[in-house]
Amino acid sequence: MDSKFPFLSTLPDFPDDGDASSSDSSLVFFQNLIQQAELLDTASSSKKNYVRRDRVGGHETLMADYFDENPKFSEDTFRHRFRMSKSLFLKIVSDVEAYDEWFQEGLDGRMKKSFTPLQKVTSAIKQLATGNPPDEGDEYLNMSERTSRECLEYFCETVCKRYGGEFLRRPTSHDIALLYQAHEDRHHLPGMLGSLDCTHFVWRMCPTELRGQYMRGDHQYPTVMLEAVASQDLWIWHAFCGPAGSQNDINVLQQSPLFLAQRNGTAPNCPFQVNNHLYKRGYYLTDGIYPTWSVFVKSFPYPHDPNEKKFKRQHEAARKDVERAFGVLKSKWGILNRPMRSKTTTEGR
């Protein structure tokens, strides 16, 4: 009791008589008791320490390293660390700054200058490229973990809104004609739209109650699946991410919006001709697990005829487009090659 409430050891000795001095001593005692209790509550309450970060110094260091007239690091070093050229990076910074006010430089609640657009986009790109935790930029960019996480969330959301309609879209009739020509020249397969396949991403922070849905026998950890269609130039024009890792490619296909345009009747009409035979629509190269549909072309499992063996070689060579796209995607953006740290299925989408 004395160690928890040290002020109790200072209890006064009240007189035995009932005169006025006894009432005065009791009043003074209780006033002191209330004051000391308030001091103890204030001292025991945990307060977050404010860290003074030199935002201006972080911006000047970033400019001196990469963006001055004579930067410290070369263009090749910049491309290696940022996974893109400097001109493309500056264009992205300009676009996201014009699209979202959050990336514009302003004043914070203490009327001090906030981080510059270069610092915010650099923090987001670094997290995507390396997959390291958000507090990595605290020493270099002088940016806290919370601000770095916000940079990543706002950057991903803004990029999807700004560039989604231009890049992550279904091909038009002109694009399909170019895909037909490119795949015929490269793989000698006329009418090919692309290669369809799925891949898995490890989910480290999967909640215990969801592990059964996201676990599969051939994977040691919970995973999230991604279905994609890639062309010969690594253009991923269809991506469907989010199905549980316990499913197979057929289950993902049944949930996928890949053929939504065909069902709605809004798909472009792009027939092609082979050996004087007209086909209404193009096809996708798939592996053996996919259903036997007219839009799916699979290889011969046990070829015997020389033509079947030749087609099997061509099919397997063309199928490497989507596998190569997955490999480049994971190797270029390290955040995909490391276990996801999200705690819910909607966080970070």
Side-chain angles (χ1 to χ4, degrees):
M1 181 68 68
D2 294 343
S3 59
K4 186 175 181 180
F5 303 102
F7 52 85
L8 295 180
S9 60
T10 61
L11 288 174
D13 296 331
F14 297 105
D16 295 335
D17 53 354
D19 55 4
S21 61
S22 176
S23 300
D24 296 338
S25 300
S26 300
L27 182 61
V28 172
F29 164 72
F30 283 112
Q31 289 179 350
N32 295 335
L33 188 67
I34 294 174
Q35 293 177 359
Q36 295 187 29
E38 291 177 351
L39 292 176
L40 285 177
D41 292 340
T42 304
S44 60
S45 60
S46 59
K47 291 186 178 181
K48 184 178 179 180
N49 295 328
Y50 173 72
V51 180
R52 296 185 178 274
R53 293 180 171 86
D54 187 7
R55 301 175 181 177
V56 177
H59 175 73
E60 293 176 352
T61 301
L62 183 63
M63 292 292 296
D65 288 345
Y66 300 106
F67 302 105
D68 281 347
E69 294 183 1
N70 297 315
K72 180 178 180 180
F73 299 103
S74 63
E75 177 72 23
D76 294 337
T77 304
F78 183 91
R79 179 181 291 271
H80 172 71
R81 294 178 178 177
F82 288 79
R83 307 299 195 265
M84 63 184 71
S85 62
K86 188 182 299 185
S87 59
L88 177 59
F89 176 84
L90 293 176
K91 182 181 183 305
I92 293 176
V93 172
S94 177
D95 290 345
V96 299
E97 182 183 4
Y99 190 88
D100 193 344
E101 296 181 354
W102 190 86
F103 288 94
Q104 299 175 4
E105 187 176 1
L107 300 177
D108 60 8
R110 297 176 292 111
M111 302 305 295
K112 292 187 177 181
K113 293 181 62 176
S114 62
F115 291 101
T116 62
L118 277 177
Q119 290 174 290
K120 296 177 181 179
V121 178
T122 298
S123 175
I125 292 293
K126 285 285 189 178
Q127 295 178 67
L128 292 173
T130 62
N132 292 338
D135 60 351
E136 182 191 26
D138 198 349
E139 298 177 353
Y140 180 70
L141 296 174
N142 293 287
M143 185 178 295
S144 65
E145 179 182 0
R146 177 182 176 181
T147 306
S148 298
R149 188 180 295 108
E150 290 179 352
C151 289
L152 179 61
E153 294 176 356
Y154 279 101
F155 178 78
C156 293
E157 182 179 356
T158 305
V159 166
C160 291
K161 293 180 180 179
R162 172 63 178 82
Y163 299 108
E166 182 178 356
F167 296 100
L168 190 58
R169 58 171 175 82
R170 299 192 63 83
T172 61
S173 57
H174 178 69
D175 295 329
I176 292 178
L178 295 178
L179 290 175
Y180 284 169
Q181 185 63 38
H183 290 145
E184 185 175 2
D185 295 340
R186 184 181 182 90
H187 302 304
H188 307 288
L189 295 173
M192 173 183 169
L193 290 172
S195 299
L196 174 66
D197 202 1
C198 294
T199 187
H200 292 256
F201 300 105
V202 177
W203 187 10
R204 185 181 65 182
M205 302 297 291
C206 178
T208 304
E209 63 270 16
L210 298 179
R211 292 182 67 89
Q213 302 179 28
Y214 289 83
M215 287 283 291
R216 207 166 73 175
D218 56 345
H219 290 84
Q220 186 178 0
Y221 303 101
T223 60
V224 177
M225 298 187 67
L226 167 67
E227 180 191 72
V229 175
S231 59
Q232 49 86 26
D233 57 351
L234 301 182
W235 177 29
I236 300 179
W237 55 265
H238 165 73
F240 175 60
C241 184
S246 60
Q247 306 180 50
N248 55 28
D249 295 1
I250 300 179
N251 304 135
V252 177
L253 178 65
Q254 293 172 349
Q255 310 170 43
S256 172
L258 178 60
F259 297 107
L260 185 61
Q262 283 79 0
R263 292 197 295 266
N264 295 336
T266 58
N269 185 19
C270 297
F272 68 97
Q273 190 173 6
V274 177
N275 296 332
N276 297 325
H277 189 282
L278 185 64
Y279 295 89
K280 295 182 179 180
R281 61 185 64 87
Y283 57 86
Y284 305 91
L285 298 186
T286 60
D287 52 18
I289 192 175
Y290 283 89
T292 307
W293 293 353
S294 61
V295 292
F296 293 154
V297 174
K298 298 185 286 187
S299 179
F300 296 98
Y302 305 104
H304 299 287
D305 186 81
N307 291 331
E308 293 180 355
K309 294 181 179 179
K310 182 179 179 180
F311 177 78
K312 182 178 177 63
R313 289 195 299 268
Q314 292 296 120
H315 184 279
E316 292 176 348
R319 279 271 302 162
K320 292 180 181 179
D321 290 345
V322 65
E323 301 293 347
R324 185 163 58 97
F326 287 149
V328 171
L329 188 66
K330 292 182 179 181
S331 62
K332 193 170 186 178
W333 303 107
I335 195 171
L336 298 177
N337 205 27
R338 291 192 174 189
M340 294 184 295
R341 291 185 289 267
S342 302
K343 295 183 179 181
T344 64
T345 55
T346 58
E347 183 179 351
R349 284 190 185 180

